[in-house]
Amino acid sequence: MDSAPDKHIRNISRSSRPRSSTRGPLDASDDPLALPETPTSPIKHKSMLAANDTFSGSSFYELDPLAPDNLPEGLEKDLSFLLRHSNFHTLSHLDIPPPLRSEFLILNPGEPLSTSLGTLEKLLAEGRFLIAAHFSASILTSSLISPTDIKIIFSLFYTRLASLDLSGNTVLAAQESKSLEDLTSAFYYIDLKPESAATDNDKDSEHEQEHEQDLRHIVPWPLRVLAVRLQSIGFGDSRRSIGGLYEIGLEARREIMRSEATKDERELWKQRLADLGIRGVNALIEMGDFDSARRSLDNLRAPGSESNITKLRKALLFLRIGDLDAASQVFGDSNETKEAALLKPLISMSDGRFVDAVAEWRVLGEDRTRTDGALVAQNLAVCLLYTGQLDEVFDSVIPYTYLKGALNAFTDCLFLVSSAP
């Protein structure tokens, strides 16, 4: 496990891969790839909870419903290069306020893999992402993982990178993502179609065999999308993110047009293509190219209805650009949805009207049907801090004790600043 496998071939062009088009594959147009009227996921995932309400760890085997379940007979992929201890940075929680700190978990000797995965699943459900990042790396570098178990290795690697990103350690995640190396290399592709019985003298059969290959990527789609952004940060090339999104966007379009694809698979690929468009705009914003980002957002108006989540993502991108008028017009007249209600106080905060935002967040907090109570409480607490209502901050975050601890630490900092000479 100390050396990279011999099969890992880097930067090899595949003859079946078409040349990249100069036309943007993420642009919306009136074509068969348009979004469906109801863009809900047709692939049903199993619940993260087992029947007895315990965490079973089964979700780590279902990261990508379209990924190949089994490799062709006689073909193995050795991923020992992803299991090295040197791939993972040492994590610390010293920069976290003491009320929010938790001890890192250690693998118990003799504990089965399913138990460890269940523990990791629970950490993710509780939002303890820094602890989950540490624990996922512990599993990857343990003897519980076989170097050829590609599904669980990629799933744990994705968990590690995503948890680092969510816990504010994006730079570390970007550095660790480079151990994946070139995700477009031939090593990460397999041919799911068996070889045809063409004879050596039959050139037409050989030519037909070449074009009947069914090449599939073995890396789960969420990890590929995340790696595009992180590797662009890790290599210090912001343009790499745009190019990577366009590359996998072309692949998504090819999968939609594949004759063997089922209706459910096509719907899922359409949703993935729409998601890539949003991510492309976000990449332009991170590059500081706000003009291109605004034009790209305008071009993402695909025919057919969009989900409220997609509209909210667009509105948040407009807020990042600073175009408050465009953000307020994303939902149009449909202001009764939960997503549209969430956008209203965010616009008030972006415009510096924190008093209005306090009233709007309080209205949302009184709605017991919402499932984002922690998010509402946190934003309300921030607005109360900006308006100087420190006494009410603590009441707004009850029963969110983890936020209350952070606010205690923040108040201590305010006291130190105000009492400094």
Side-chain angles (χ1 to χ4, degrees):
M1 196 168 65
D2 293 334
S3 60
D6 296 336
K7 296 181 181 180
H8 193 186
I9 304 173
R10 304 179 182 87
N11 299 321
I12 295 182
S13 299
R14 293 171 285 104
S15 59
S16 60
R17 183 180 175 192
R19 180 185 176 188
S20 299
S21 173
T22 55
R23 182 175 180 270
L26 309 184
D27 296 334
S29 58
D30 296 319
D31 61 5
L33 309 185
L35 287 174
E37 292 185 358
T38 307
T40 56
S41 176
I43 306 296
K44 300 297 182 182
H45 297 270
K46 295 181 180 179
S47 174
M48 191 167 60
L49 298 178
N52 57 353
D53 293 336
T54 60
F55 293 89
S56 63
S58 60
S59 63
F60 293 100
Y61 295 92
E62 304 160 2
L63 182 60
D64 185 355
L66 301 184
D69 292 329
N70 298 304
L71 296 182
E73 186 177 355
L75 177 62
E76 286 188 349
K77 295 290 186 179
D78 186 358
L79 301 180
S80 58
F81 63 97
L82 293 179
L83 307 180
R84 301 172 182 169
H85 287 82
S86 59
N87 291 337
F88 307 104
H89 292 77
T90 302
L91 303 182
S92 172
H93 48 47
L94 295 179
D95 57 340
I96 300 176
L100 298 181
R101 292 180 187 174
S102 299
E103 294 295 330
F104 290 123
L105 298 183
I106 302 176
L107 284 176
N108 294 326
E111 188 177 67
L113 178 60
S114 58
T115 303
S116 299
L117 294 179
T119 302
L120 179 58
E121 207 170 45
K122 182 179 180 181
L123 291 173
L124 295 173
E126 294 174 350
R128 301 167 64 187
F129 297 115
L130 186 63
I131 310 300
H134 177 272
F135 197 65
S136 58
S138 300
I139 300 176
L140 283 170
T141 54
S142 70
S143 59
L144 298 175
I145 301 297
S146 170
T148 58
D149 193 352
I150 63 173
K151 180 168 288 190
I152 193 63
I153 289 177
F154 284 135
S155 185
L156 288 173
F157 205 87
Y158 169 76
T159 302
R160 167 74 177 189
L161 297 181
S163 298
L164 286 176
D165 194 17
L166 290 171
S167 61
N169 295 280
T170 304
V171 175
L172 294 183
Q175 293 298 323
E176 294 183 6
S177 69
K178 293 194 291 185
S179 59
L180 291 167
E181 301 187 17
D182 185 9
L183 287 176
T184 64
S185 68
F187 172 79
Y188 287 113
Y189 284 86
I190 59 173
D191 186 6
L192 295 182
K193 282 192 175 181
E195 295 183 0
S196 61
T199 61
D200 295 338
N201 297 329
D202 193 346
K203 296 182 179 180
D204 294 336
S205 298
E206 292 179 356
H207 182 72
E208 182 180 355
Q209 174 187 351
E210 179 183 355
H211 290 275
E212 284 185 353
Q213 289 181 334
D214 186 11
L215 295 177
R216 296 298 183 88
H217 211 286
I218 63 175
V219 179
W221 182 262
L223 177 56
R224 295 177 64 187
V225 174
L226 179 62
V228 167
R229 175 175 176 265
L230 292 180
Q231 287 188 344
S232 69
I233 298 174
F235 288 106
D237 184 5
S238 56
R239 295 172 298 179
R240 183 188 182 103
S241 178
I242 300 294
L245 290 174
Y246 270 64
E247 285 290 330
I248 60 178
L250 287 171
E251 182 175 337
R253 283 183 171 266
R254 291 198 300 269
E255 290 295 330
I256 296 173
M257 303 303 295
R258 190 166 54 88
S259 58
E260 297 86 355
T262 64
K263 180 180 178 181
D264 289 345
E265 290 175 348
R266 288 194 178 96
E267 297 297 335
L268 184 54
W269 280 111
K270 291 176 183 178
Q271 294 176 44
R272 289 178 172 181
L273 192 61
D275 174 71
L276 291 178
I278 295 292
R279 293 178 184 272
V281 176
N282 186 67
L284 290 172
I285 294 176
E286 290 183 339
M287 292 171 57
D289 192 350
F290 296 148
D291 291 336
S292 297
R294 184 180 290 105
R295 290 195 299 268
S296 298
L297 274 175
D298 294 336
N299 294 332
L300 286 179
R301 297 171 182 171
S305 61
E306 294 177 312
S307 66
N308 291 327
I309 293 297
T310 301
K311 291 181 180 179
L312 180 60
R313 294 175 69 187
K314 286 186 177 181
L316 293 177
L317 291 176
F318 275 122
L319 289 180
R320 291 191 63 185
I321 294 173
D323 194 342
L324 303 185
D325 293 335
S328 60
Q329 297 173 4
V330 169
F331 284 92
D333 298 331
S334 57
N335 294 323
E336 302 299 327
T337 63
K338 291 185 177 181
E339 291 78 12
L342 190 65
L343 179 63
K344 186 177 180 180
L346 290 176
I347 294 178
S348 297
M349 293 177 66
S350 301
D351 201 22
R353 295 180 285 107
F354 293 102
V355 175
D356 296 340
V358 167
E360 292 162 353
W361 284 122
R362 280 175 172 164
V363 171
L364 295 182
E366 295 172 356
D367 185 359
R368 299 305 177 186
T369 63
R370 300 187 66 93
T371 58
D372 52 1
L375 182 147
V376 172
Q378 182 177 13
N379 281 278
L380 173 58
V382 171
C383 292
L384 289 172
L385 287 174
Y386 273 99
T387 55
Q389 305 177 62
L390 297 182
D391 293 338
E392 301 183 32
V393 169
F394 300 99
D395 295 332
S396 68
V397 297
I398 295 175
Y400 307 107
T401 56
Y402 58 96
L403 291 177
K404 190 172 181 179
L407 289 169
N408 275 322
F410 183 77
T411 305
D412 292 341
C413 293
L414 288 178
F415 175 75
L416 293 175
V417 172
S418 60
S419 60

